[in-house]
Amino acid sequence: SSNGFAFLAIVMHYVSNDWKLEEILIDFSEIIGPHSGENMADSVWKTIETLGLKDKVRLFSCFPWT
């Protein structure tokens, strides 16, 4: 960003019980350190563990918006 801070937003998409496609922002955090895949993956993994989603996530993808 123009202010020198880097942020990572994690959005979860899922199909509800009544078959509607839903999406929700589950984390928005500052990235500290390099913008490496390893650093971003660590942030994503911490969010997944914190929210108890480890055994529920089936797929995730990364779209780097610059």
Side-chain angles (χ1 to χ4, degrees):
S1 69
S2 62
N3 62 12
F5 295 99
F7 297 97
L8 177 68
I10 302 173
V11 179
M12 180 175 68
H13 300 266
Y14 63 97
V15 177
S16 67
N17 290 336
D18 57 347
W19 296 98
K20 290 184 182 178
L21 182 59
E22 305 281 351
E23 64 181 45
I24 185 170
L25 178 68
I26 62 172
D27 195 17
F28 185 83
S29 58
E30 183 180 1
I31 296 293
I32 306 297
H35 303 147
S36 66
E38 184 177 345
N39 198 13
M40 288 190 281
D42 185 52
S43 293
V44 171
W45 185 250
K46 285 178 183 175
T47 299
I48 289 171
E49 283 188 316
T50 299
L51 297 177
L53 299 172
K54 190 168 81 170
D55 295 324
K56 297 178 182 183
V57 173
R58 299 291 178 244
L59 171 75
F60 69 90
S61 60
C62 178
F63 295 98
W65 304 105
T66 56

